[in-house]
Amino acid sequence: MQALRGTQDILPEDAYKWNYMESAIRRLCSCYGYGEIRTPMFEATELFQRGIGDTTDVVTKEMYTFTDRGGRSITLRPENTASAVRAYLEHKLYGDQQVHKLFYIGSMFRYDRPQAGRYREFHQFGVEVLGADSPAADAEVIALAYTLFRELGLKDLVLHVNSIGCGKCRPVYRQKLIEYFHEREDKLCDLCRERLEKNPLRVLDCKEEGCRAASVDAPKITDYLCEECQAKFEALQKYLTALGIPFELDPRLVRGLDYYTNTAFEIQYTPLGAQSAICGGGRYDGLVEEIGGPHTPSVGFAVGLERLLLALEMQGLIPAPVRPRHVYIAALGEDAVAEGIRIQQQLRADGVRADMDLQGRSLKGQMKQAGKSGADYAVIIGENELAAGEAAVKSMADGTQENIPFENVPKYIADKESGVK
Ligand code: HAM
């Protein structure tokens, strides 16, 4: 049996890298005042259909949807914004009229064609700010992502920013775009031709050669923004500049989910190739209403953690794991093992890694194992040591050995270690 295509195991030798990223994330979210939310891995399919949009690739082609034994249509979450909004409504968080700042880390599922940086089960860290209409909130979430990457040491990331307008100005732009692409329909791929009327903005984002070429002179959304959207977009740029965050205006950036309004942004790391977006997000002022709640302007983003990890590894930015002191206790016979277990328990309580044999090896075999495991000390309890009530404590680095009464072993090791390694 093998892990399914597009999924992967994270073994102990790599898990520390995930912990490293996640602790940086948690530290930063705490400074920015974001509280963690954990929502279920699966939800009613309708939530994503309504939230993400019926014509998006995610909903039409990529969802893991099944009927459960009760006959309900269930979907493994392809992203977490819709679920966060559902939870926000279900628990009436809007009731206190406050801005709610949430973050999450977890698995998402999309039936996509797997390749480097693109998986069927992948992990996102995301934030959602619910109930804030100021462009300062957009600037804050961008600053959070930017600061995370900077604190991790990443270089050569590019922030792309766009505004995709609102319910007032976007329809005018949509119409212009439909007219423009109708004149070039023969150059578009089948999918784009099909979705042109329903979702013309997606053509701008299509990776097909013909669609890209056809898009070159397409009208720009930023030329059609209403006064209010224009003012918000300018304010965001002013705040980003004040924060010292460099950005590129990218009028072709439209994002793949339908809930966005106004701000759309991505942070890209070009060496990742086709899957260069490490972080994507934007404002979604209509989503809470779409899901049945009060008008709640909101903004957020999600970072793909596999892609972040790839970028960190490419730039050699994952520090070696912190290694606690390590002691191997070699004991033979039940009485000696009982003494060993007592010492082991104390060492572990002191924060020392303490291992013992669990496979019935001889004392010689256990000592070999101590060497192999990279232990700093071996604590040996054979027949003679048991009789004397003292263990032989051997430094694996220089081979020196001393006999120490059982009860003093943890302290002896602690004293030796303070100031060493
Ligand atoms: P998204 O752009 O679909 O946005 O995904 C965000 C990030 O998740 C991407 O930039 C990428 O790094 C990662 N990602 C997406 N699909 C895959 C995949 N198949 N394999 C590996 N990584 C992937 C969202 O999901 C929105 N919910 C973000 C958001 C939050 N907008 C507002 N709030």
Side-chain angles (χ1 to χ4, degrees), residues 58 78-82 104 110 112 117-124 126-128 255-257 259-260 266-267 275 277-284 299-307:
V58 171
E79 58 105 58
N80 215 10
T81 308
Y104 48 80
R110 295 186 193 177
D112 214 332
R118 199 208 267 164
Y119 312 96
R120 291 184 173 165
E121 182 190 17
F122 60 98
H123 298 79
Q124 283 186 344
V127 309
E128 313 295 349
R255 311 269 307 126
L257 314 164
Y259 49 63
Y260 292 109
E266 277 184 8
I267 300 179
Q275 313 304 321
I278 291 197
C279 169
R283 180 163 276 287
Y284 50 94
V299 61
F301 68 73
V303 170
L305 292 179
E306 283 80 3
R307 292 187 196 176

mmCIF file of all heavy atoms in Angstrom, residues 58 78-82 104 110 112 117-124 126-128 255-257 259-260 266-267 275 277-284 299-307, ligand 1:
data_model
loop_
_atom_site.group_PDB
_atom_site.id
_atom_site.type_symbol
_atom_site.label_atom_id
_atom_site.label_comp_id
_atom_site.label_asym_id
_atom_site.label_seq_id
_atom_site.Cartn_x
_atom_site.Cartn_y
_atom_site.Cartn_z
ATOM 1 N N VAL A 58 -11.869 25.402 -8.724
ATOM 2 C CA VAL A 58 -11.875 24.679 -7.446
ATOM 3 C C VAL A 58 -13.200 23.931 -7.284
ATOM 4 O O VAL A 58 -13.226 22.738 -6.973
ATOM 5 C CB VAL A 58 -11.633 25.646 -6.265
ATOM 6 C CG1 VAL A 58 -11.849 24.951 -4.928
ATOM 7 C CG2 VAL A 58 -10.229 26.218 -6.323
ATOM 8 N N PRO A 78 -11.472 22.575 0.448
ATOM 9 C CA PRO A 78 -10.410 22.913 -0.495
ATOM 10 C C PRO A 78 -9.664 24.164 -0.062
ATOM 11 O O PRO A 78 -8.607 24.510 -0.609
ATOM 12 C CB PRO A 78 -11.160 23.177 -1.798
ATOM 13 C CG PRO A 78 -12.537 23.579 -1.382
ATOM 14 C CD PRO A 78 -12.813 22.945 -0.045
ATOM 15 N N GLU A 79 -10.211 24.873 0.906
ATOM 16 C CA GLU A 79 -9.614 26.096 1.466
ATOM 17 C C GLU A 79 -10.374 26.370 2.765
ATOM 18 O O GLU A 79 -11.340 25.664 3.073
ATOM 19 C CB GLU A 79 -9.730 27.265 0.487
ATOM 20 C CG GLU A 79 -11.164 27.586 0.073
ATOM 21 C CD GLU A 79 -11.701 28.824 0.721
ATOM 22 O OE1 GLU A 79 -11.102 29.889 0.557
ATOM 23 O OE2 GLU A 79 -12.744 28.741 1.401
ATOM 24 N N ASN A 80 -9.944 27.369 3.522
ATOM 25 C CA ASN A 80 -10.529 27.509 4.863
ATOM 26 C C ASN A 80 -11.313 28.800 5.079
ATOM 27 O O ASN A 80 -11.852 29.018 6.168
ATOM 28 C CB ASN A 80 -9.418 27.386 5.915
ATOM 29 C CG ASN A 80 -9.900 26.690 7.186
ATOM 30 O OD1 ASN A 80 -10.999 26.145 7.223
ATOM 31 N ND2 ASN A 80 -9.089 26.716 8.211
ATOM 32 N N THR A 81 -11.356 29.666 4.064
ATOM 33 C CA THR A 81 -12.047 30.941 4.272
ATOM 34 C C THR A 81 -13.555 30.728 4.464
ATOM 35 O O THR A 81 -14.153 31.275 5.395
ATOM 36 C CB THR A 81 -11.792 31.891 3.081
ATOM 37 O OG1 THR A 81 -10.382 31.957 2.882
ATOM 38 C CG2 THR A 81 -12.333 33.279 3.347
ATOM 39 N N ALA A 82 -14.138 29.908 3.579
ATOM 40 C CA ALA A 82 -15.575 29.664 3.679
ATOM 41 C C ALA A 82 -15.916 29.029 5.036
ATOM 42 O O ALA A 82 -16.908 29.403 5.676
ATOM 43 C CB ALA A 82 -16.037 28.773 2.528
ATOM 44 N N TYR A 104 -5.393 30.158 11.025
ATOM 45 C CA TYR A 104 -5.509 28.699 11.029
ATOM 46 C C TYR A 104 -4.299 28.085 10.334
ATOM 47 O O TYR A 104 -3.637 28.723 9.510
ATOM 48 C CB TYR A 104 -6.800 28.237 10.316
ATOM 49 C CG TYR A 104 -7.022 28.896 8.974
ATOM 50 C CD1 TYR A 104 -6.354 28.449 7.828
ATOM 51 C CD2 TYR A 104 -7.851 30.000 8.853
ATOM 52 C CE1 TYR A 104 -6.541 29.066 6.602
ATOM 53 C CE2 TYR A 104 -8.041 30.630 7.629
ATOM 54 C CZ TYR A 104 -7.380 30.163 6.506
ATOM 55 O OH TYR A 104 -7.551 30.779 5.297
ATOM 56 N N ARG A 110 -7.444 19.383 -2.729
ATOM 57 C CA ARG A 110 -7.909 19.749 -4.075
ATOM 58 C C ARG A 110 -7.476 18.654 -5.039
ATOM 59 O O ARG A 110 -6.300 18.252 -5.041
ATOM 60 C CB ARG A 110 -7.322 21.093 -4.524
ATOM 61 C CG ARG A 110 -7.797 22.253 -3.675
ATOM 62 C CD ARG A 110 -7.322 23.606 -4.201
ATOM 63 N NE ARG A 110 -7.533 24.636 -3.186
ATOM 64 C CZ ARG A 110 -7.187 25.906 -3.288
ATOM 65 N NH1 ARG A 110 -6.610 26.335 -4.388
ATOM 66 N NH2 ARG A 110 -7.416 26.764 -2.309
ATOM 67 N N ASP A 112 -6.169 18.131 -7.926
ATOM 68 C CA ASP A 112 -5.432 18.879 -8.921
ATOM 69 C C ASP A 112 -4.385 17.941 -9.511
ATOM 70 O O ASP A 112 -4.143 16.871 -8.963
ATOM 71 C CB ASP A 112 -4.740 20.046 -8.189
ATOM 72 C CG ASP A 112 -4.655 21.278 -9.060
ATOM 73 O OD1 ASP A 112 -4.619 21.117 -10.272
ATOM 74 O OD2 ASP A 112 -4.610 22.391 -8.493
ATOM 75 N N GLY A 117 5.261 21.448 -5.790
ATOM 76 C CA GLY A 117 4.548 22.617 -5.251
ATOM 77 C C GLY A 117 3.035 22.539 -5.388
ATOM 78 O O GLY A 117 2.335 23.445 -4.970
ATOM 79 N N ARG A 118 2.541 21.452 -5.987
ATOM 80 C CA ARG A 118 1.085 21.316 -6.083
ATOM 81 C C ARG A 118 0.677 19.893 -5.690
ATOM 82 O O ARG A 118 1.161 18.921 -6.264
ATOM 83 C CB ARG A 118 0.640 21.596 -7.514
ATOM 84 C CG ARG A 118 -0.853 21.931 -7.572
ATOM 85 C CD ARG A 118 -1.431 21.556 -8.887
ATOM 86 N NE ARG A 118 -1.410 22.658 -9.830
ATOM 87 C CZ ARG A 118 -1.581 22.480 -11.141
ATOM 88 N NH1 ARG A 118 -1.740 21.277 -11.636
ATOM 89 N NH2 ARG A 118 -1.578 23.510 -11.937
ATOM 90 N N TYR A 119 -0.161 19.803 -4.682
ATOM 91 C CA TYR A 119 -0.510 18.494 -4.130
ATOM 92 C C TYR A 119 -2.021 18.380 -3.983
ATOM 93 O O TYR A 119 -2.748 19.358 -4.129
ATOM 94 C CB TYR A 119 0.176 18.311 -2.761
ATOM 95 C CG TYR A 119 1.635 18.673 -2.824
ATOM 96 C CD1 TYR A 119 2.072 19.944 -2.458
ATOM 97 C CD2 TYR A 119 2.561 17.775 -3.339
ATOM 98 C CE1 TYR A 119 3.413 20.307 -2.587
ATOM 99 C CE2 TYR A 119 3.894 18.125 -3.458
ATOM 100 C CZ TYR A 119 4.308 19.391 -3.090
ATOM 101 O OH TYR A 119 5.617 19.750 -3.222
ATOM 102 N N ARG A 120 -2.466 17.177 -3.692
ATOM 103 C CA ARG A 120 -3.913 16.981 -3.482
ATOM 104 C C ARG A 120 -4.285 17.195 -2.021
ATOM 105 O O ARG A 120 -5.367 17.665 -1.724
ATOM 106 C CB ARG A 120 -4.305 15.594 -3.984
ATOM 107 C CG ARG A 120 -4.201 15.560 -5.498
ATOM 108 C CD ARG A 120 -4.658 14.269 -6.084
ATOM 109 N NE ARG A 120 -4.679 14.403 -7.538
ATOM 110 C CZ ARG A 120 -4.762 13.403 -8.387
ATOM 111 N NH1 ARG A 120 -4.846 12.161 -7.929
ATOM 112 N NH2 ARG A 120 -4.785 13.631 -9.680
ATOM 113 N N GLU A 121 -3.392 16.809 -1.126
ATOM 114 C CA GLU A 121 -3.529 17.279 0.257
ATOM 115 C C GLU A 121 -2.359 18.220 0.486
ATOM 116 O O GLU A 121 -1.205 17.839 0.256
ATOM 117 C CB GLU A 121 -3.468 16.155 1.287
ATOM 118 C CG GLU A 121 -3.654 16.713 2.689
ATOM 119 C CD GLU A 121 -3.379 15.733 3.826
ATOM 120 O OE1 GLU A 121 -2.732 14.699 3.594
ATOM 121 O OE2 GLU A 121 -3.815 16.020 4.943
ATOM 122 N N PHE A 122 -2.645 19.438 0.863
ATOM 123 C CA PHE A 122 -1.578 20.393 1.138
ATOM 124 C C PHE A 122 -1.959 21.174 2.391
ATOM 125 O O PHE A 122 -3.074 21.040 2.897
ATOM 126 C CB PHE A 122 -1.345 21.325 -0.064
ATOM 127 C CG PHE A 122 -2.557 22.139 -0.452
ATOM 128 C CD1 PHE A 122 -2.706 23.451 -0.035
ATOM 129 C CD2 PHE A 122 -3.570 21.580 -1.213
ATOM 130 C CE1 PHE A 122 -3.830 24.198 -0.373
ATOM 131 C CE2 PHE A 122 -4.704 22.316 -1.559
ATOM 132 C CZ PHE A 122 -4.832 23.622 -1.142
ATOM 133 N N HIS A 123 -1.023 21.960 2.881
ATOM 134 C CA HIS A 123 -1.266 22.659 4.149
ATOM 135 C C HIS A 123 -1.245 24.159 3.930
ATOM 136 O O HIS A 123 -0.401 24.666 3.194
ATOM 137 C CB HIS A 123 -0.208 22.260 5.176
ATOM 138 C CG HIS A 123 -0.237 20.800 5.509
ATOM 139 N ND1 HIS A 123 0.328 19.852 4.682
ATOM 140 C CD2 HIS A 123 -0.799 20.136 6.536
ATOM 141 C CE1 HIS A 123 0.117 18.657 5.198
ATOM 142 N NE2 HIS A 123 -0.559 18.799 6.330
ATOM 143 N N GLN A 124 -2.158 24.808 4.560
ATOM 144 C CA GLN A 124 -2.180 26.278 4.498
ATOM 145 C C GLN A 124 -2.088 26.854 5.899
ATOM 146 O O GLN A 124 -2.642 26.314 6.852
ATOM 147 C CB GLN A 124 -3.511 26.776 3.901
ATOM 148 C CG GLN A 124 -3.628 26.659 2.402
ATOM 149 C CD GLN A 124 -4.908 27.319 1.876
ATOM 150 O OE1 GLN A 124 -5.842 27.599 2.630
ATOM 151 N NE2 GLN A 124 -4.959 27.561 0.586
ATOM 152 N N GLY A 126 -3.398 30.438 7.191
ATOM 153 C CA GLY A 126 -4.170 31.552 6.666
ATOM 154 C C GLY A 126 -4.667 32.457 7.777
ATOM 155 O O GLY A 126 -4.691 32.071 8.955
ATOM 156 N N VAL A 127 -5.019 33.671 7.410
ATOM 157 C CA VAL A 127 -5.636 34.588 8.381
ATOM 158 C C VAL A 127 -6.891 35.181 7.755
ATOM 159 O O VAL A 127 -6.989 35.301 6.539
ATOM 160 C CB VAL A 127 -4.695 35.757 8.799
ATOM 161 C CG1 VAL A 127 -3.340 35.246 9.226
ATOM 162 C CG2 VAL A 127 -4.537 36.783 7.703
ATOM 163 N N GLU A 128 -7.847 35.507 8.593
ATOM 164 C CA GLU A 128 -9.065 36.175 8.150
ATOM 165 C C GLU A 128 -9.372 37.295 9.144
ATOM 166 O O GLU A 128 -9.379 37.057 10.353
ATOM 167 C CB GLU A 128 -10.260 35.199 8.107
ATOM 168 C CG GLU A 128 -9.997 33.853 7.426
ATOM 169 C CD GLU A 128 -9.695 33.925 5.931
ATOM 170 O OE1 GLU A 128 -9.879 35.001 5.323
ATOM 171 O OE2 GLU A 128 -9.251 32.902 5.371
ATOM 172 N N ARG A 255 -7.006 36.172 -9.269
ATOM 173 C CA ARG A 255 -7.254 35.140 -8.261
ATOM 174 C C ARG A 255 -8.316 34.138 -8.732
ATOM 175 O O ARG A 255 -9.145 34.434 -9.585
ATOM 176 C CB ARG A 255 -7.664 35.742 -6.917
ATOM 177 C CG ARG A 255 -6.753 36.849 -6.438
ATOM 178 C CD ARG A 255 -5.628 36.368 -5.584
ATOM 179 N NE ARG A 255 -6.088 35.570 -4.478
ATOM 180 C CZ ARG A 255 -5.634 34.342 -4.226
ATOM 181 N NH1 ARG A 255 -4.726 33.795 -4.983
ATOM 182 N NH2 ARG A 255 -6.084 33.679 -3.190
ATOM 183 N N GLY A 256 -8.282 32.945 -8.150
ATOM 184 C CA GLY A 256 -9.117 31.869 -8.671
ATOM 185 C C GLY A 256 -10.423 31.607 -7.934
ATOM 186 O O GLY A 256 -11.130 30.670 -8.262
ATOM 187 N N LEU A 257 -10.723 32.419 -6.934
ATOM 188 C CA LEU A 257 -11.946 32.173 -6.157
ATOM 189 C C LEU A 257 -12.857 33.384 -6.335
ATOM 190 O O LEU A 257 -12.381 34.514 -6.417
ATOM 191 C CB LEU A 257 -11.593 31.964 -4.672
ATOM 192 C CG LEU A 257 -10.406 31.006 -4.442
ATOM 193 C CD1 LEU A 257 -9.844 31.132 -3.040
ATOM 194 C CD2 LEU A 257 -10.838 29.567 -4.687
ATOM 195 N N TYR A 259 -15.038 34.967 -4.484
ATOM 196 C CA TYR A 259 -15.529 35.866 -3.434
ATOM 197 C C TYR A 259 -14.786 37.194 -3.307
ATOM 198 O O TYR A 259 -15.172 38.049 -2.516
ATOM 199 C CB TYR A 259 -15.601 35.165 -2.069
ATOM 200 C CG TYR A 259 -14.377 34.388 -1.621
ATOM 201 C CD1 TYR A 259 -13.158 34.999 -1.403
ATOM 202 C CD2 TYR A 259 -14.475 33.014 -1.363
ATOM 203 C CE1 TYR A 259 -12.069 34.282 -0.949
ATOM 204 C CE2 TYR A 259 -13.381 32.282 -0.908
ATOM 205 C CZ TYR A 259 -12.187 32.916 -0.704
ATOM 206 O OH TYR A 259 -11.104 32.207 -0.257
ATOM 207 N N TYR A 260 -13.741 37.385 -4.087
ATOM 208 C CA TYR A 260 -12.942 38.596 -3.881
ATOM 209 C C TYR A 260 -13.600 39.879 -4.381
ATOM 210 O O TYR A 260 -14.327 39.875 -5.376
ATOM 211 C CB TYR A 260 -11.566 38.449 -4.536
ATOM 212 C CG TYR A 260 -10.715 37.408 -3.836
ATOM 213 C CD1 TYR A 260 -10.428 36.194 -4.423
ATOM 214 C CD2 TYR A 260 -10.236 37.652 -2.556
ATOM 215 C CE1 TYR A 260 -9.673 35.238 -3.766
ATOM 216 C CE2 TYR A 260 -9.481 36.703 -1.889
ATOM 217 C CZ TYR A 260 -9.206 35.501 -2.495
ATOM 218 O OH TYR A 260 -8.464 34.556 -1.832
ATOM 219 N N GLU A 266 -0.914 38.604 -4.289
ATOM 220 C CA GLU A 266 -0.163 37.347 -4.216
ATOM 221 C C GLU A 266 1.283 37.668 -3.907
ATOM 222 O O GLU A 266 1.799 38.710 -4.330
ATOM 223 C CB GLU A 266 -0.230 36.594 -5.556
ATOM 224 C CG GLU A 266 -1.501 35.786 -5.683
ATOM 225 C CD GLU A 266 -1.596 34.942 -6.949
ATOM 226 O OE1 GLU A 266 -0.608 34.839 -7.704
ATOM 227 O OE2 GLU A 266 -2.681 34.398 -7.168
ATOM 228 N N ILE A 267 1.915 36.776 -3.172
ATOM 229 C CA ILE A 267 3.357 36.912 -2.962
ATOM 230 C C ILE A 267 3.995 35.735 -3.689
ATOM 231 O O ILE A 267 3.636 34.572 -3.440
ATOM 232 C CB ILE A 267 3.710 36.932 -1.465
ATOM 233 C CG1 ILE A 267 3.009 38.127 -0.812
ATOM 234 C CG2 ILE A 267 5.229 36.993 -1.273
ATOM 235 C CD1 ILE A 267 3.226 38.276 0.682
ATOM 236 N N GLN A 275 4.292 26.949 -10.028
ATOM 237 C CA GLN A 275 3.555 27.112 -8.760
ATOM 238 C C GLN A 275 4.262 28.155 -7.891
ATOM 239 O O GLN A 275 4.713 27.866 -6.788
ATOM 240 C CB GLN A 275 3.458 25.779 -7.998
ATOM 241 C CG GLN A 275 3.031 24.606 -8.851
ATOM 242 C CD GLN A 275 1.708 24.864 -9.533
ATOM 243 O OE1 GLN A 275 0.802 25.452 -8.946
ATOM 244 N NE2 GLN A 275 1.590 24.453 -10.774
ATOM 245 N N ALA A 277 3.203 31.006 -6.548
ATOM 246 C CA ALA A 277 2.491 31.773 -5.507
ATOM 247 C C ALA A 277 2.634 31.075 -4.161
ATOM 248 O O ALA A 277 2.130 29.979 -3.950
ATOM 249 C CB ALA A 277 1.018 31.924 -5.872
ATOM 250 N N ILE A 278 3.345 31.741 -3.256
ATOM 251 C CA ILE A 278 3.494 31.193 -1.901
ATOM 252 C C ILE A 278 2.307 31.623 -1.067
ATOM 253 O O ILE A 278 1.880 30.941 -0.150
ATOM 254 C CB ILE A 278 4.798 31.734 -1.266
ATOM 255 C CG1 ILE A 278 5.991 31.149 -1.982
ATOM 256 C CG2 ILE A 278 4.855 31.424 0.200
ATOM 257 C CD1 ILE A 278 7.268 31.279 -1.209
ATOM 258 N N CYS A 279 1.765 32.788 -1.388
ATOM 259 C CA CYS A 279 0.698 33.355 -0.573
ATOM 260 C C CYS A 279 -0.290 34.056 -1.503
ATOM 261 O O CYS A 279 0.118 34.720 -2.459
ATOM 262 C CB CYS A 279 1.322 34.376 0.384
ATOM 263 S SG CYS A 279 0.139 35.404 1.254
ATOM 264 N N GLY A 280 -1.576 33.869 -1.228
ATOM 265 C CA GLY A 280 -2.584 34.557 -2.034
ATOM 266 C C GLY A 280 -3.726 34.998 -1.142
ATOM 267 O O GLY A 280 -4.073 34.311 -0.178
ATOM 268 N N GLY A 281 -4.294 36.139 -1.463
ATOM 269 C CA GLY A 281 -5.410 36.578 -0.630
ATOM 270 C C GLY A 281 -6.065 37.815 -1.181
ATOM 271 O O GLY A 281 -5.816 38.219 -2.322
ATOM 272 N N GLY A 282 -6.903 38.400 -0.364
ATOM 273 C CA GLY A 282 -7.583 39.611 -0.779
ATOM 274 C C GLY A 282 -8.790 39.878 0.087
ATOM 275 O O GLY A 282 -9.036 39.195 1.096
ATOM 276 N N ARG A 283 -9.551 40.874 -0.357
ATOM 277 C CA ARG A 283 -10.734 41.311 0.387
ATOM 278 C C ARG A 283 -11.950 40.583 -0.138
ATOM 279 O O ARG A 283 -12.047 40.267 -1.329
ATOM 280 C CB ARG A 283 -10.843 42.828 0.186
ATOM 281 C CG ARG A 283 -11.989 43.487 0.860
ATOM 282 C CD ARG A 283 -11.787 44.980 0.966
ATOM 283 N NE ARG A 283 -10.992 45.329 2.137
ATOM 284 C CZ ARG A 283 -11.457 45.268 3.397
ATOM 285 N NH1 ARG A 283 -12.688 44.866 3.646
ATOM 286 N NH2 ARG A 283 -10.675 45.605 4.401
ATOM 287 N N TYR A 284 -12.868 40.255 0.749
ATOM 288 C CA TYR A 284 -14.095 39.564 0.322
ATOM 289 C C TYR A 284 -15.291 40.149 1.081
ATOM 290 O O TYR A 284 -15.815 39.551 2.005
ATOM 291 C CB TYR A 284 -13.960 38.043 0.503
ATOM 292 C CG TYR A 284 -13.468 37.584 1.860
ATOM 293 C CD1 TYR A 284 -14.353 37.232 2.873
ATOM 294 C CD2 TYR A 284 -12.107 37.513 2.140
ATOM 295 C CE1 TYR A 284 -13.903 36.806 4.124
ATOM 296 C CE2 TYR A 284 -11.640 37.100 3.381
ATOM 297 C CZ TYR A 284 -12.549 36.747 4.354
ATOM 298 O OH TYR A 284 -12.096 36.339 5.585
ATOM 299 N N VAL A 299 -11.098 40.580 5.018
ATOM 300 C CA VAL A 299 -9.897 40.420 4.190
ATOM 301 C C VAL A 299 -9.019 39.331 4.801
ATOM 302 O O VAL A 299 -9.040 39.129 6.022
ATOM 303 C CB VAL A 299 -9.145 41.779 4.064
ATOM 304 C CG1 VAL A 299 -8.696 42.311 5.417
ATOM 305 C CG2 VAL A 299 -7.959 41.713 3.115
ATOM 306 N N GLY A 300 -8.281 38.622 3.954
ATOM 307 C CA GLY A 300 -7.401 37.567 4.486
ATOM 308 C C GLY A 300 -6.475 37.043 3.414
ATOM 309 O O GLY A 300 -6.441 37.538 2.289
ATOM 310 N N PHE A 301 -5.708 36.020 3.796
ATOM 311 C CA PHE A 301 -4.818 35.354 2.826
ATOM 312 C C PHE A 301 -4.556 33.944 3.305
ATOM 313 O O PHE A 301 -4.879 33.593 4.447
ATOM 314 C CB PHE A 301 -3.488 36.110 2.686
ATOM 315 C CG PHE A 301 -2.609 36.059 3.921
ATOM 316 C CD1 PHE A 301 -1.935 34.893 4.282
ATOM 317 C CD2 PHE A 301 -2.463 37.182 4.728
ATOM 318 C CE1 PHE A 301 -1.132 34.850 5.428
ATOM 319 C CE2 PHE A 301 -1.657 37.147 5.874
ATOM 320 C CZ PHE A 301 -0.999 35.974 6.218
ATOM 321 N N ALA A 302 -3.956 33.143 2.425
ATOM 322 C CA ALA A 302 -3.428 31.847 2.855
ATOM 323 C C ALA A 302 -2.065 31.625 2.210
ATOM 324 O O ALA A 302 -1.829 32.014 1.062
ATOM 325 C CB ALA A 302 -4.381 30.720 2.489
ATOM 326 N N VAL A 303 -1.185 31.013 3.002
ATOM 327 C CA VAL A 303 0.166 30.666 2.555
ATOM 328 C C VAL A 303 0.201 29.153 2.350
ATOM 329 O O VAL A 303 -0.274 28.405 3.212
ATOM 330 C CB VAL A 303 1.198 31.043 3.649
ATOM 331 C CG1 VAL A 303 2.581 30.479 3.322
ATOM 332 C CG2 VAL A 303 1.263 32.546 3.839
ATOM 333 N N GLY A 304 0.721 28.690 1.229
ATOM 334 C CA GLY A 304 0.896 27.253 1.016
ATOM 335 C C GLY A 304 2.177 26.817 1.724
ATOM 336 O O GLY A 304 3.270 27.235 1.362
ATOM 337 N N LEU A 305 2.016 25.979 2.751
ATOM 338 C CA LEU A 305 3.194 25.665 3.575
ATOM 339 C C LEU A 305 4.206 24.766 2.856
ATOM 340 O O LEU A 305 5.404 24.868 3.097
ATOM 341 C CB LEU A 305 2.757 25.048 4.905
ATOM 342 C CG LEU A 305 2.027 26.036 5.829
ATOM 343 C CD1 LEU A 305 1.605 25.362 7.125
ATOM 344 C CD2 LEU A 305 2.911 27.242 6.148
ATOM 345 N N GLU A 306 3.730 23.887 1.952
ATOM 346 C CA GLU A 306 4.694 23.081 1.184
ATOM 347 C C GLU A 306 5.563 24.003 0.320
ATOM 348 O O GLU A 306 6.769 23.799 0.197
ATOM 349 C CB GLU A 306 3.976 22.074 0.278
ATOM 350 C CG GLU A 306 3.429 20.838 0.983
ATOM 351 C CD GLU A 306 2.113 21.083 1.701
ATOM 352 O OE1 GLU A 306 1.586 22.215 1.608
ATOM 353 O OE2 GLU A 306 1.615 20.141 2.351
ATOM 354 N N ARG A 307 4.918 25.013 -0.269
ATOM 355 C CA ARG A 307 5.676 25.944 -1.124
ATOM 356 C C ARG A 307 6.617 26.800 -0.289
ATOM 357 O O ARG A 307 7.743 27.081 -0.689
ATOM 358 C CB ARG A 307 4.720 26.840 -1.906
ATOM 359 C CG ARG A 307 3.952 26.039 -2.928
ATOM 360 C CD ARG A 307 3.119 26.915 -3.821
ATOM 361 N NE ARG A 307 2.146 26.077 -4.510
ATOM 362 C CZ ARG A 307 1.204 26.529 -5.316
ATOM 363 N NH1 ARG A 307 1.098 27.824 -5.546
ATOM 364 N NH2 ARG A 307 0.355 25.702 -5.885
HETATM 365 P P1 HAM B 1 -5.540 30.161 -2.912
HETATM 366 O O1 HAM B 1 -4.792 31.125 -3.768
HETATM 367 O O2 HAM B 1 -6.415 29.189 -3.583
HETATM 368 O O3 HAM B 1 -6.331 31.034 -1.863
HETATM 369 O O4 HAM B 1 -4.492 29.368 -2.032
HETATM 370 C C1 HAM B 1 -3.554 30.047 -1.228
HETATM 371 C C2 HAM B 1 -2.193 29.383 -1.327
HETATM 372 O O5 HAM B 1 -2.304 27.982 -1.029
HETATM 373 C C3 HAM B 1 -1.576 29.411 -2.716
HETATM 374 O O6 HAM B 1 -0.921 30.634 -2.953
HETATM 375 C C4 HAM B 1 -0.596 28.266 -2.625
HETATM 376 O O7 HAM B 1 0.593 28.676 -1.967
HETATM 377 C C5 HAM B 1 -1.330 27.266 -1.758
HETATM 378 N N1 HAM B 1 -1.967 26.218 -2.580
HETATM 379 C C6 HAM B 1 -3.142 26.285 -3.245
HETATM 380 N N2 HAM B 1 -3.397 25.127 -3.894
HETATM 381 C C7 HAM B 1 -2.351 24.305 -3.632
HETATM 382 C C8 HAM B 1 -2.018 22.956 -3.990
HETATM 383 N N3 HAM B 1 -2.819 22.204 -4.751
HETATM 384 N N4 HAM B 1 -0.857 22.437 -3.530
HETATM 385 C C9 HAM B 1 -0.024 23.167 -2.752
HETATM 386 N N5 HAM B 1 -0.297 24.431 -2.366
HETATM 387 C C10 HAM B 1 -1.440 24.993 -2.802
HETATM 388 C C11 HAM B 1 -7.102 30.507 -0.867
HETATM 389 O O8 HAM B 1 -7.132 29.342 -0.574
HETATM 390 C C12 HAM B 1 -7.881 31.554 -0.097
HETATM 391 N N6 HAM B 1 -8.714 30.871 0.895
HETATM 392 C C13 HAM B 1 -6.938 32.535 0.565
HETATM 393 C C14 HAM B 1 -7.674 33.606 1.302
HETATM 394 C C15 HAM B 1 -7.887 33.668 2.627
HETATM 395 N N7 HAM B 1 -8.247 34.652 0.771
HETATM 396 C C16 HAM B 1 -8.815 35.364 1.721
HETATM 397 N N8 HAM B 1 -8.617 34.754 2.860
#
